[in-house]
Amino acid sequence: MLKNAARLLQFFFLSILLSPHMATAQKFRAADIARFKTQAAAVTIIRDDYGVPHIYAKTDAAVVFGLMYTQCEDNFKGIERNYLYQLGRQSEADGESKLYDDVQLQLIADSAGAIADYNNSPMYFKRLMDAFADGLNYYLYKHPEVKPLVFTRFKPWYALMFTDGSVAATETGEISPRETQSFYNGDAQKFGSRYQPRNIKMFEQRENGSNGFAVAPSKSASGHAMLYVNPHVPFYFRSEVGLNSEEGLHAYGAVTWGQFFIYQGFNAHCGWMHTSSNADVGDVYAEKVIKKDGKWWYEYDGKLRPVTSRQLTLHVKDGDRLINRDITGYYTHHGPVLALRDGKWLALRHNNRSYNALLESWLITKANTFTQYKKAMGLVSNTSNNTVYADDQGNIALWYGNFMPRRNPAYNWALPVDGSTSATEWKGLHPVNETVHIYNPLTGFIQNCNSTPFTASGTASPDKSAYPLYMAPDNENYRGILAARLLSNAGKLSLDGLIATGYNHYLALFDDVLPPLFAAFKNAPDSLAKRLTGPVEELQRWDKNSAANSVATNLGVEYATAIMRVLPAPKAGENSYQVKRIHELLQTLSPDKQLNLLADAVKTLETRYGDWKIKWGDVNRYQRPADGITFDDSLPSLPVGTTSSNFGQLPSFVSRAVNTQKRYGYSGNSFLAAIEFGPRIKARSIVTGGSSFNPDSKHFTDQAKGYLDGNFKNVLFYKEDVLKHAERSYHPGE
């Protein structure tokens, strides 16, 4: 089953809110404080002239301590929010509305497993997790004015509950918390009130994706491999950092708030970009259950097995107090029971949390060769990512997914499978060399834009027939088509040329949706022809590149959004089939319907702005509110020429009106980087707005203009360069 990415908007709004404080201050023991201070003295943090922290220490553990401290300095709220989610404790801060999100997450990931993994970890890795918790706790000790929502002390094993830095890392088998609520809300005799999900068509709010490009020496102007890192996530979702130890750690990139490894970035030899994967990493089993002698049983290979249970006690905020809610969770040997459909209980088999997942993320951060990187990938524990890779030996690579159960290909794994037979059991895991991958393609490039890997390198792409469908169920999206075309036709790319490719403003969706509209207009009835002549001529003159000063961009976005709203819900397993679904829709969309959709788009613009001839940048704006959430048309903002990547554009800026007349961005491009792997690393990067969350800091929006224009700053990878641009040098706690 595919991932549930429903937390995209949730993170944007919740991670930046200060909810009412319910936690009480935690007093640390003298021994704790002494340990904190010893570690702090061993760490040096240098903030450069963009506010980016570069952390230096002798040991990896000391660097982790410093990293967590700097993350707290920048965005403690985001860290706490991530762990409230991962530990299933959001209702302690937000009340009843998050109860069944928490129930679902606690059913999926039992903290007892994380505690056991921590206790059984080798000493080296345990030190990293200890340093992780100590860095967070030292910040709370030094900053009593910070009022956590819930966590007044972080524990080392928390790191093992959050082992993947993706925005949609939890595999739920596409079972929503509402379905879980319908199953568990009530006594056992009432189980079975089936939840009927609505077909939500808020198209632009569902944007979720990323782009990764790798360029081989044969296609590079310098003769060195290059990597382009372009995640599309809620703004301010990760921090930009440099990590340096005397134990071989020298890495730079984006760290998801609350984690201690580089999620997307590079070290002195290798670079990696993770894109959200649609590889099938978890499955839902339809269990046939009966109640016998007051107990639940399920059928398996002609026999009955007992349903097992686990008591969950959740603490739910109710005004100024916490109330306990006890819920009995049910399990089959496949996993937790999360819902009921068609009279059968649905149990999820998954690998959402594991020691090896965290270890793999750390080993990747430190890998110095292609061989070492492949060895780390050999742990096959990453459940949410594709990986685009490049290194200083000229290698480029793509791994589509990583954790991949071996299954009987005769079944449709996009749907719940029969849980009553052993024929549907996983048959172990595929090793890395059996998963879909590309090593050093003759075409000299790799692109992955959350679409099929079978066109990732043009004519050198893998053969789709060589792999079972569950390994790579994706089809094409418009970003992938555009990226493959641009990279295939590119000559020798420089680092600047790679950035320009990544910031190309062409909207590939309109290659398909405009020609039939223009054909329909030729036979438009007089009533529509008169009204639509101006808008159609505007679109006909358009080169399909978005721009801030473009009327056609604004009109085109409104028209394409209208088309997306009549797009039928995807069939099972076809969430990523954007191009196929658009083609199928256009075959059934009558000329009159297309003209009426354009007329509706024109009317929407006229109603909203008084005229349809409004330039895109006049209404599509970047603004970073002081409180993080309250956009205001009367306050300064910047015009933005890019759009959501759902329209086939490589860069992404997802915007909407938020109690405003203008649209404001909240998701899309975040940390971006371009890296050239020569004898000395040459890299450039940019982040949304700036590195600081303090609206009084010059680093709150000092990168905004460069971010919007694709004008990246130079990465200060080597210490001598960091020192030349040092703004502040200090130990944690100073």
Side-chain angles (χ1 to χ4, degrees):
M1 306 296 290
L2 300 178
K3 284 193 173 43
N4 179 354
R7 32 177 325 227
L8 189 150
L9 271 181
Q10 169 192 323
F11 178 88
F12 173 73
F13 289 110
L14 288 184
S15 67
I16 50 187
L17 283 172
L18 274 173
S19 299
H21 168 50
M22 294 193 63
T24 57
Q26 173 69 51
K27 292 184 178 180
F28 294 97
R29 299 175 303 167
D32 293 330
I33 296 168
R35 185 178 69 254
F36 297 160
K37 291 182 176 179
T38 298
Q39 292 179 90
V43 178
T44 298
I45 301 164
I46 303 176
R47 296 270 184 175
D48 68 25
D49 48 14
Y50 279 97
V52 175
H54 302 259
I55 300 153
Y56 297 89
K58 286 186 178 181
T59 67
D60 290 348
V63 171
V64 168
F65 177 92
L67 169 63
M68 303 318 299
Y69 191 90
T70 63
Q71 284 196 39
C72 290
E73 288 182 307
D74 292 336
N75 187 19
F76 175 78
K77 288 177 289 182
I79 296 170
E80 186 175 27
R81 275 292 173 187
N82 276 342
Y83 280 98
L84 287 173
Y85 174 83
Q86 294 297 149
L87 272 67
R89 296 178 62 181
Q90 295 175 98
S91 53
E92 294 180 39
D94 303 323
E96 188 79 18
S97 65
K98 292 297 179 183
L99 174 60
Y100 284 94
D101 294 70
D102 289 348
V103 168
Q104 188 178 81
L105 288 160
Q106 289 198 25
L107 287 167
I108 288 172
D110 185 357
S111 60
I115 294 170
D117 284 344
Y118 168 76
N119 289 332
N120 294 325
S121 295
M123 186 54 64
Y124 169 78
F125 209 64
K126 188 176 287 186
R127 288 194 189 103
L128 297 180
M129 291 184 280
D130 289 343
F132 150 84
D134 282 351
L136 294 165
N137 291 329
Y138 186 47
Y139 175 82
L140 291 177
Y141 167 71
K142 293 294 292 185
H143 294 272
E145 75 281 3
V146 173
K147 307 300 181 184
L149 303 176
V150 173
F151 298 120
T152 57
R153 180 188 286 266
F154 286 79
K155 299 179 180 180
W157 59 265
Y158 286 8
L160 286 159
M161 295 293 288
F162 189 21
T163 57
D164 187 303
S166 173
V167 71
T170 302
E171 169 64 60
T172 68
E174 296 189 320
I175 297 172
S176 72
R178 288 287 301 278
E179 287 187 276
T180 300
Q181 178 177 358
S182 292
F183 183 83
Y184 281 105
N185 192 10
D187 62 68
Q189 300 298 329
K190 295 179 181 177
F191 284 172
S193 55
R194 182 182 177 190
Y195 170 65
Q196 297 287 349
R198 293 177 298 166
N199 182 18
I200 299 174
K201 300 203 174 183
M202 296 175 68
F203 161 70
E204 287 185 291
Q205 295 184 29
R206 297 201 309 265
E207 195 270 354
N208 182 36
S210 300
N211 305 327
F213 307 153
V215 176
S218 63
K219 210 170 182 64
S220 165
S222 67
H224 304 305
M226 297 189 296
L227 181 71
Y228 187 70
V229 173
N230 178 204
H232 298 166
V233 295
F235 290 170
Y236 324 114
F237 187 72
R238 300 188 179 100
S239 63
E240 180 177 9
V241 300
L243 307 179
N244 306 269
S245 81
E246 295 179 15
E247 294 181 337
L249 176 62
H250 187 189
Y252 190 100
V255 176
T256 303
W257 298 113
Q259 296 184 324
F260 62 79
F261 54 86
I262 299 290
Y263 177 67
Q264 291 157 328
F266 57 97
N267 58 37
H269 303 284
C270 310
W272 56 98
M273 167 59 197
H274 291 316
T275 64
S276 295
S277 179
N278 287 302
D280 192 343
V281 298
D283 293 307
V284 172
Y285 288 80
E287 310 283 17
K288 299 177 182 178
V289 298
I290 64 169
K291 197 166 190 181
K292 184 178 178 182
D293 300 327
K295 297 181 179 179
W296 290 102
W297 302 77
Y298 67 103
E299 182 181 328
Y300 187 73
D301 279 350
K303 299 179 181 179
L304 291 180
R305 290 188 175 189
V307 173
T308 59
S309 64
R310 180 167 70 91
Q311 196 69 22
L312 306 179
T313 299
L314 296 99
H315 310 293
V316 182
K317 179 178 176 290
D318 181 22
D320 294 329
R321 64 184 182 133
L322 292 175
I323 59 174
N324 290 345
R325 292 288 296 274
D326 294 324
I327 293 175
T328 301
Y330 290 93
Y331 295 78
T332 72
H333 74 281
H334 293 122
V337 177
L338 298 183
L340 178 141
R341 294 178 193 163
D342 302 321
K344 296 178 182 179
W345 289 13
L346 299 185
L348 175 70
R349 187 162 188 189
H350 64 93
N351 185 47
N352 275 305
R353 189 216 63 76
S354 72
Y355 169 81
N356 275 350
L358 185 60
L359 178 62
E360 182 175 336
S361 295
W362 178 254
L363 292 177
I364 281 171
T365 300
K366 293 196 68 175
N368 285 324
T369 66
F370 194 27
T371 298
Q372 290 177 3
Y373 201 95
K374 286 189 287 186
K375 183 177 180 180
M377 293 286 286
L379 292 173
V380 291
S381 295
N382 186 319
T383 60
S384 71
N385 297 308
N386 307 318
T387 303
V388 181
Y389 169 95
D391 67 26
D392 62 355
Q393 298 302 304
N395 297 299
I396 64 171
L398 167 70
W399 292 273
Y400 186 90
N402 184 237
F403 174 86
M404 182 53 58
R406 192 187 303 275
R407 309 163 169 99
N408 183 340
Y411 288 89
N412 182 356
W413 296 93
L415 297 171
V417 294
D418 186 357
S420 68
T421 172
S422 56
T424 57
E425 294 293 348
W426 291 356
K427 314 296 183 184
L429 298 177
H430 288 280
V432 169
N433 63 356
E434 289 183 3
T435 62
V436 183
H437 63 275
I438 302 172
Y439 297 158
N440 298 319
L442 292 177
T443 50
F445 75 89
I446 292 170
Q447 61 81 22
N448 184 259
C449 300
N450 315 107
S451 59
T452 175
F454 302 120
T455 57
S457 295
T459 57
S461 302
D463 179 4
K464 184 176 182 177
S465 66
Y467 299 93
L469 179 62
Y470 61 74
M471 274 193 182
D474 302 59
N475 203 281
E476 294 283 16
N477 65 35
Y478 287 100
R479 278 184 293 129
I481 289 175
L482 178 60
R485 182 167 75 230
L486 292 174
L487 291 169
S488 179
N489 294 334
K492 299 277 188 176
L493 281 166
S494 65
L495 198 61
D496 288 338
L498 181 60
I499 293 170
T501 300
Y503 257 71
N504 188 286
H505 283 207
Y506 194 77
L507 298 166
L509 170 73
F510 292 95
D511 287 339
D512 284 341
V513 301
L514 287 184
L517 174 67
F518 297 156
F521 181 72
K522 291 179 180 178
N523 299 306
D526 291 343
S527 58
L528 278 175
K530 183 177 180 180
R531 176 164 172 72
L532 295 180
T533 295
V536 169
E537 289 178 347
E538 187 73 38
L539 292 172
Q540 288 174 330
R541 289 191 297 267
W542 187 34
D543 63 2
K544 301 172 196 166
N545 284 280
S546 72
N549 63 356
S550 166
V551 170
T553 301
N554 199 15
L555 179 60
V557 165
E558 203 65 45
Y559 175 62
T561 301
I563 286 179
M564 293 298 177
R565 285 177 177 148
V566 299
L567 190 67
K571 300 173 185 175
E574 293 193 358
N575 291 38
S576 63
Y577 284 39
Q578 185 192 29
V579 175
K580 175 178 179 288
R581 293 173 60 213
I582 290 292
H583 286 174
E584 291 175 349
L585 173 67
L586 292 174
Q587 290 173 5
T588 62
L589 209 58
S590 69
D592 284 349
K593 180 64 173 177
Q594 293 176 67
L595 293 172
N596 283 318
L597 288 174
L598 179 60
D600 290 344
V602 171
K603 184 178 180 180
T604 296
L605 292 173
E606 290 173 338
T607 301
R608 190 181 301 154
Y609 306 117
D611 193 344
W612 66 266
K613 290 179 281 190
I614 301 294
K615 295 177 181 178
W616 179 234
D618 289 345
V619 298
N620 188 49
R621 312 292 290 185
Y622 172 81
Q623 186 180 86
R624 190 172 186 182
D627 67 356
I629 58 172
T630 309
F631 296 101
D632 189 335
D633 288 334
S634 68
L635 295 178
S637 62
L638 295 172
V640 182
T642 49
T643 73
S644 163
S645 66
N646 277 317
F647 303 115
Q649 187 173 84
L650 294 176
S652 181
F653 186 87
V654 188
S655 63
R656 65 169 185 160
V658 186
N659 299 316
T660 56
Q661 186 177 39
K662 297 176 182 177
R663 309 163 58 115
Y664 293 94
Y666 62 88
S667 181
N669 284 4
S670 54
F671 167 82
L672 296 94
I675 310 100
E676 182 181 290
F677 293 93
R680 231 178 122 81
I681 290 289
K682 179 181 178 183
R684 295 188 184 132
S685 71
I686 202 75
V687 299
T688 314
S691 63
S692 176
F693 280 67
N694 178 3
D696 296 325
S697 169
K698 67 179 181 181
H699 301 310
F700 191 61
T701 55
D702 59 345
Q703 297 184 57
K705 189 67 166 60
Y707 165 83
L708 298 177
D709 296 342
N711 184 17
F712 291 18
K713 65 185 185 294
N714 290 325
V715 167
L716 307 174
F717 187 65
Y718 299 99
K719 190 170 185 179
E720 60 265 31
D721 295 321
V722 173
L723 291 173
K724 292 175 185 176
H725 295 268
E727 188 172 89
R728 182 187 173 206
S729 181
Y730 61 102
H731 300 297
E734 294 181 351

